[in-house]
């Protein structure tokens, strides 16, 4: 299937998301923060990125905006996966260039549906 980079500062969330994606036959590479994310993406060449929003340092909204503003990464879909579930948060995610938005807590099928939509 696809190669997916997951970025989340919660180890438990990383493990859960990774498990769901691997069960759906995706290859998964995980990172605990957005530090040097662009360098990591250059070397990993993912088909999609699943990223938390609330993280120390550069948050998911900022990282998404940075990726979408960079010619090298603008065509890689980003699915934001976050506890920020207000309509204004979802709208802001879209404004940053996110291709999907999943609100925690979520079911495996919600995440997989968002990933499938973003990849198509």
């Amino acid at each position: 299937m696809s190669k997916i980079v997951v970025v989340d500062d919660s180890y438990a969330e990383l493990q859960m998301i990774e498990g769901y994606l691997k069960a759906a036959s995706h290859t998964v590479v995980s990172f605990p923060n957005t530090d040097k994310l662009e360098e990591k993406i250059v070397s990993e060449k993912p088909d999609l990125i699943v990223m938390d929003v609330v993280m120390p340092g550069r948050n998911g909204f900022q990282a998404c905006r940075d990726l979408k503003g960079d010619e090298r990464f603008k065509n890689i879909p980003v699915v934001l996966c976050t506890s920020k579930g207000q309509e204004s948060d979802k709208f802001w995610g879209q404004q940053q260039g996110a291709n999907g938005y999943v609100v925690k807590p979520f079911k495996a099928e919600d995440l997989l549906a968002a990933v499938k939509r973003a990849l198509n």
Side-chain angles (χ1 to χ4, degrees):
M1 293 287 291
S2 302
K3 183 172 191 179
I4 301 176
V5 161
V6 180
V7 185
D8 197 315
D9 62 321
S10 161
Y11 184 70
E13 295 281 347
L14 264 184
Q15 293 295 102
M16 186 176 70
I17 293 168
E18 200 171 291
Y20 290 158
L21 294 171
K22 284 182 175 176
S25 303
H26 294 290
T27 301
V28 182
V29 181
S30 301
F31 301 113
N33 55 50
T34 57
D35 293 351
K36 298 188 170 78
L37 184 60
E38 286 81 355
E39 291 174 28
K40 294 169 182 172
I41 290 171
V42 166
S43 65
E44 295 296 342
K45 298 178 181 53
D47 299 301
L48 178 111
I49 300 164
V50 174
M51 187 160 34
D52 186 18
V53 169
V54 183
M55 293 185 283
R58 182 169 57 156
N59 71 39
F61 286 144
Q62 294 165 323
C64 182
R65 184 174 56 238
D66 292 345
L67 292 171
K68 292 300 184 172
D70 189 315
E71 277 299 314
R72 299 172 296 170
F73 313 120
K74 69 178 187 181
N75 294 322
I76 300 173
V78 176
V79 173
L80 295 174
C81 186
T82 178
S83 58
K84 295 179 73 65
Q86 300 293 322
E87 286 305 311
S88 58
D89 297 318
K90 294 175 186 175
F91 175 75
W92 189 242
Q94 284 179 324
Q95 296 301 108
Q96 306 317 305
N99 304 84
Y101 202 96
V102 178
V103 179
K104 296 175 184 176
F106 56 86
K107 297 185 190 89
E109 51 267 24
D110 297 336
L111 175 66
L112 296 174
V115 164
K116 186 175 182 178
R117 280 192 304 273
L119 286 170
N120 290 337

